[in-house]
């Protein structure tokens, strides 16, 4: 499969934070969930991809082209949705669209008005009068109206109520029916990704934890529960972020086969959700 | 790049009416200092208000992040700021010329001559000085932090403009020193001034663009 987005050994040092050796690939027609707790480096990575900030080292190739040297060409084919709209708030939706549309060679006004109607957006309202959810939908309408092949979204669901979030996820789900469009979606709300993501990349404290298919990750990581007397040094090596009380323990493992063969039926095994995986890994990292 | 210039003009739509009223009011007041004062100061302040308002409005809405995400590179963003300044200056000249001509032809004011190339050259030199210093500082430090520079530049320009206006007014009413009158009466004085002024402005702007490139191209937004 052709990679739409390739990130190799990406490094960026900021004042009190560092993106360190991040690697991942996003293929054509795929949806990648980019997860991590607040402050993990998700927005910084997106800003690096969009060349809003300059990388110290590493490579970012989009559509097979370097993201800095071929910036204009690449951005013609990228639709972006940030956590804020970053538009002139005193303009109405149409005036702002008229400013943005001129920058794209393949702007499709018909598509824009179709999305405005579909998302139920008030055309002549000023941007500052829109709710957060409407602003995100407006950004999405813009992102989808110039035949973009890669949609980059930075925490689009944060701060939205559950109804709006669900609606937005349905919209993203419908975008991905077009197999020419890939979506790179950062969020700390992992439940958003359970249905729509093909790939998951997890970043914590600027370092990449994993990047793989959602199926592989959900198969690899399991929650284990048992009597806390079972915990010994050999078990501990296989556990991530152990949660213990006086009687029992609960933890995440990425080596379920070994645990099964050692402890057999003494240990309960459950499927882990993406939220469990993120929680235990972040917790384990903090306890190191 | 022209889309960025156009954007700078479009976003002024809501200010245009109040700016034009202010300009007309200024013209009325400034005619009592000297007509050269109107012809030089009005286009200067017109341009100045538009640059400041465009930069302030951009920063208030944090739009740089959005524009850099569009198919635009940073060099174009920088050059467009200087181009916008020139467009605002041309608009300032046109509005000043229009209203002062109406005033002169109606006979309702003290204005007794039309705008000339000297006025435009002087106004443009000051605009070039202002934008050459202000734009790199704005790009590097942002709108709020660049305001003290803007204020100092405006005081400097105001003092220089009033001095030049007074000298030219003295020349016009025949009370200037002989040496000054002789200098201004030299053959081709206007042409030489025009060439020197334009060359100086051009060099200043080119240096400023290079500095802006160095400051902004690798800046984290």
């Amino acid at each position: 499969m052709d990679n739409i987005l390739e990130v190799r050994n990406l490094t960026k040092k900021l004042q009190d934070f560092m993106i360190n050796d991040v690697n991942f690939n996003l293929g054509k027609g795929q949806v990648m969930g980019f997860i991590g707790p607040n402050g993990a480096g998700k927005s910084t990575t997106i800003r690096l991809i969009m060349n809003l900030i300059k990388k110290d080292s590493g490579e970012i190739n989009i559509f097979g082209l370097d993201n800095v040297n071929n910036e204009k060409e690449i951005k013609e084919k990228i639709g972006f949705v940030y956590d804020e709209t970053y538009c002139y708030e005193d303009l109405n939706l149409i005036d702002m669209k008229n400013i943005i549309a001129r920058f794209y060679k393949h702007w499709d006004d018909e598509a824009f008005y179709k999305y405005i109607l579909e998302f139920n957006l008030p055309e002549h309202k000023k941007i500052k009068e829109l709710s957060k959810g409407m602003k995100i939908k407006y950004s999405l309408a813009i992102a989808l109206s110039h035949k973009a092949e890669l949609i980059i979204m930075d925490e689009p669901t944060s701060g939205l109520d559950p109804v709006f979030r669900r609606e937005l996820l349905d919209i993203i789900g419908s975008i991905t029916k077009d197999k020419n469009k890939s979506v790179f979606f950062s969020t700390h709300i992992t439940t958003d990704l359970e249905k729509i993501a093909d790939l998951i990349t997890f970043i914590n404290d600027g370092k990449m934890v994993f990047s793989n298919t959602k199926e592989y990750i959900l198969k690899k990581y399991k929650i284990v529960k048992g009597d806390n007397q079972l915990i010994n040094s050999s078990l501990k090596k296989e556990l991530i972020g152990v949660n213990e009380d006086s009687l029992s323990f609960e933890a995440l493992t990425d080596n379920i086969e070994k645990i099964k063969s050692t402890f057999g039926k003494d240990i309960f095994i459950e499927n882990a959700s993406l939220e469990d995986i993120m929680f235990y890994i972040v917790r384990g990292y903090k306890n190191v | 790049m022209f889309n960025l210039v156009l954007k700078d003009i479009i976003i002024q739509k809501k200010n245009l009416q109040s700016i034009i009223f202010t300009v007309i009011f200024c013209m009325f007041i400034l005619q009592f200092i000297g007509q050269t004062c109107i012809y030089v100061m009005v286009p200067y302040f017109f341009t100045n208000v538009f640059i400041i308002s465009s930069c302030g409005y951009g920063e208030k809405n944090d739009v740089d992040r959005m524009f850099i995400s569009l198919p635009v590179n940073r060099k174009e963003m920088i050059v467009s700021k200087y181009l916008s300044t020139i467009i605002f200056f041309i608009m300032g000249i046109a509005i000043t010329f229009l209203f002062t001509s109406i005033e002169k032809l109606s006979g309702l004011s003290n204005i007794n001559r039309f705008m000339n190339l000297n006025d435009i050259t002087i106004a443009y030199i000051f605009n070039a000085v202002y934008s050459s210093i202000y734009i790199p500082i704005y790009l590097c430090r942002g709108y709020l932090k660049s305001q003290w520079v803007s204020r100092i530049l405006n005081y400097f320009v105001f003092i220089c403009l009033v001095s030049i206006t007074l000298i030219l007014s003295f020349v016009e009413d025949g009370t200037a020193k002989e040496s000054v009158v002789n200098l201004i009466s030299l053959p081709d004085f206007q042409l030489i001034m025009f060439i020197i002024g334009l060359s100086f402005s051009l060099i200043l702007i080119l240096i400023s663009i290079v500095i802006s490139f160095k400051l902004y191209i690798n800046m984290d937004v």
Side-chain angles (χ1 to χ4, degrees):
Chain A
M1 179 178 287
D2 296 343
N3 284 330
I4 294 285
L5 172 64
E6 293 172 344
V7 174
R8 300 257 165 283
N9 312 111
L10 182 63
T11 303
K12 168 76 180 176
K13 194 167 176 14
L14 296 166
Q15 224 169 9
D16 49 1
F17 179 73
M18 190 170 176
I19 292 288
N20 197 357
D21 200 24
V22 170
N23 292 276
F24 56 84
N25 294 325
L26 171 64
K28 199 172 183 177
Q30 289 185 318
V31 179
M32 177 178 279
F34 191 46
I35 63 169
N38 287 328
K42 301 187 294 295
S43 294
T44 307
T45 307
I46 287 182
R47 287 166 74 199
L48 285 161
I49 293 170
M50 294 301 288
N51 197 26
L52 298 176
I53 57 175
K54 302 286 170 180
K55 61 184 181 245
D56 292 337
S57 63
E59 259 180 68
I60 301 172
N61 291 318
I62 308 175
F63 309 114
L65 302 167
D66 180 82
N67 77 323
V68 178
N69 298 332
N70 305 280
E71 192 175 5
K72 273 183 86 170
E73 196 181 338
I74 286 169
K75 286 180 179 172
E76 278 285 349
K77 294 194 274 182
I78 294 181
F80 57 90
V81 178
Y82 296 144
D83 54 343
E84 295 287 333
T85 43
Y86 303 113
C87 289
Y88 293 110
E89 298 253 307
D90 286 324
L91 297 183
N92 69 30
L93 274 58
I94 303 302
D95 287 342
M96 192 64 225
K97 179 272 295 180
N98 288 339
I99 288 180
I100 295 171
R102 290 188 186 95
F103 290 91
Y104 290 105
K105 283 182 195 158
H106 305 291
W107 180 264
D108 183 350
D109 235 16
E110 211 174 291
F112 174 77
Y113 284 104
K114 191 195 89 177
Y115 287 117
I116 288 284
L117 208 67
E118 197 178 313
F119 300 165
N120 210 12
L121 292 169
E123 292 180 23
H124 296 290
K125 253 195 178 180
K126 287 182 178 175
I127 291 168
K128 68 179 173 191
E129 291 164 354
L130 301 181
S131 66
K132 161 105 185 176
M134 282 180 163
K135 283 182 182 175
I136 296 292
K137 280 182 177 177
Y138 177 62
S139 297
L140 199 55
I142 299 271
L144 297 173
S145 300
H146 56 90
K147 299 182 171 54
E149 290 171 30
L150 171 62
I151 311 289
I152 293 181
M153 297 199 265
D154 187 9
E155 306 259 9
T157 52
S158 78
L160 296 184
D161 64 54
V163 178
F164 240 120
R165 244 178 61 213
R166 189 64 183 264
E167 212 180 326
L168 190 71
L169 291 172
D170 288 344
I171 294 166
I172 296 166
S174 68
I175 297 168
T176 54
K177 281 179 189 154
D178 179 349
K179 290 297 167 202
N180 286 319
K181 283 186 168 58
S182 306
V183 178
F184 183 75
F185 180 156
S186 93
T187 184
H188 61 271
I189 309 167
T190 49
T191 46
D192 290 347
L193 301 167
E194 306 273 359
K195 280 185 185 169
I196 61 167
D198 302 305
L199 303 163
I200 303 289
T201 296
F202 178 18
I203 185 171
N204 186 33
D205 199 29
K207 294 178 200 81
M208 212 184 73
V209 181
F210 56 70
S211 182
N212 217 312
T213 63
K214 187 176 67 186
E215 283 69 30
Y216 174 84
I217 288 157
L218 293 178
K219 203 172 156 189
K220 181 180 178 187
Y221 289 96
K222 298 286 175 192
I223 295 284
V224 288
K225 291 176 179 177
D227 193 320
N228 66 1
Q229 285 175 347
L230 292 170
I231 293 188
N232 55 32
S233 59
S234 75
L235 177 62
K236 264 190 173 170
K237 271 198 284 183
E238 308 306 332
L239 300 179
I240 304 163
V242 185
N243 191 9
E244 268 185 279
D245 60 27
S246 56
L247 297 170
S248 60
F249 78 91
E250 187 177 310
L252 185 77
T253 183
D254 57 358
N255 198 352
I256 197 66
E257 292 310 319
K258 189 169 178 193
I259 287 181
K260 264 186 196 169
S261 64
T262 315
F263 298 95
K265 287 181 179 171
D266 293 337
I267 269 179
F268 297 100
I269 299 160
E270 285 177 8
N271 287 331
S273 65
L274 287 173
E275 189 174 307
D276 293 329
I277 297 168
M278 189 165 97
F279 170 76
Y280 281 105
I281 289 177
V282 173
R283 185 195 176 107
Y285 179 86
K286 281 181 184 161
N287 291 342
V288 169
Chain B
M1 181 156 60
F2 292 103
N3 292 326
L4 288 164
V5 178
L6 194 64
K7 170 267 298 178
D8 274 343
I9 298 168
I10 291 171
I11 57 162
Q12 307 285 348
K13 215 166 56 176
K14 63 168 191 143
N15 298 330
L16 197 62
Q17 228 175 1
S18 56
I19 291 173
I20 289 178
F21 277 122
T22 313
V23 163
I24 295 169
F25 179 72
C26 288
M27 282 183 197
F28 179 74
I29 300 293
L30 289 172
Q31 65 174 311
F32 297 109
I33 303 176
Q35 49 200 327
T36 310
C37 204
I38 299 176
Y39 292 133
V40 175
M41 281 174 119
V42 173
Y44 170 79
F45 282 112
F46 184 91
T47 315
N48 188 291
V49 167
F50 271 55
I51 300 170
I52 293 282
S53 139
S54 153
C55 295
Y57 201 30
E59 181 157 305
K60 183 184 154 203
N61 295 289
D62 203 2
V63 291
D64 271 10
R65 194 174 290 197
M66 189 263 292
F67 283 111
I68 294 176
S69 304
L70 297 175
V72 176
N73 63 43
R74 293 193 190 202
K75 279 187 179 173
E76 288 176 329
M77 285 184 73
I78 293 166
V79 175
S80 78
K81 280 270 169 255
Y82 292 88
L83 276 180
S84 298
T85 308
I86 294 169
I87 302 289
F88 293 147
F89 181 72
I90 294 168
M91 285 163 67
I93 293 288
I95 285 172
T96 311
F97 185 80
L98 179 74
F99 285 103
T100 50
S101 299
I102 293 170
E103 276 189 65
K104 183 187 177 308
L105 295 171
S106 67
L108 294 171
S109 69
N110 296 334
I111 295 171
N112 56 20
R113 69 168 177 85
F114 288 108
M115 192 178 216
N116 61 31
L117 201 59
N118 259 351
D119 303 322
I120 296 173
T121 311
I122 296 168
Y124 188 68
I125 292 170
F126 284 114
N127 264 130
V129 171
Y130 180 86
S131 52
S132 301
I133 298 172
Y134 179 73
I135 293 174
I137 294 171
Y138 161 73
L139 290 170
C140 173
R141 309 296 297 171
Y143 174 74
L144 289 176
K145 287 180 184 164
S146 64
Q147 282 316 288
W148 64 270
V149 179
S150 175
R151 248 170 262 140
I152 292 171
L153 282 170
N154 279 335
Y155 289 135
F156 166 76
V157 169
F158 185 75
I159 292 165
C160 291
L161 280 176
V162 169
S163 311
I164 291 170
T165 303
L166 287 174
I167 293 168
L168 290 175
S169 303
F170 292 149
V171 171
E172 276 170 14
D173 61 23
T175 53
K177 281 190 173 177
E178 209 183 314
S179 55
V180 178
V181 177
N182 288 343
L183 178 74
I184 291 174
S185 320
L186 280 173
D188 300 329
F189 176 76
Q190 274 200 19
L191 183 69
I192 294 165
M193 278 295 292
F194 179 75
I195 293 168
I196 293 173
L198 220 58
S199 315
F200 170 74
S201 309
L202 209 66
I203 292 167
L204 203 62
I205 286 175
L206 285 175
I207 294 170
S208 176
I209 290 175
V210 172
I211 294 170
S212 295
F213 279 177
K214 283 206 181 296
L215 293 172
Y216 193 66
I217 283 179
N218 289 316
M219 205 170 93
D220 292 346
V221 178

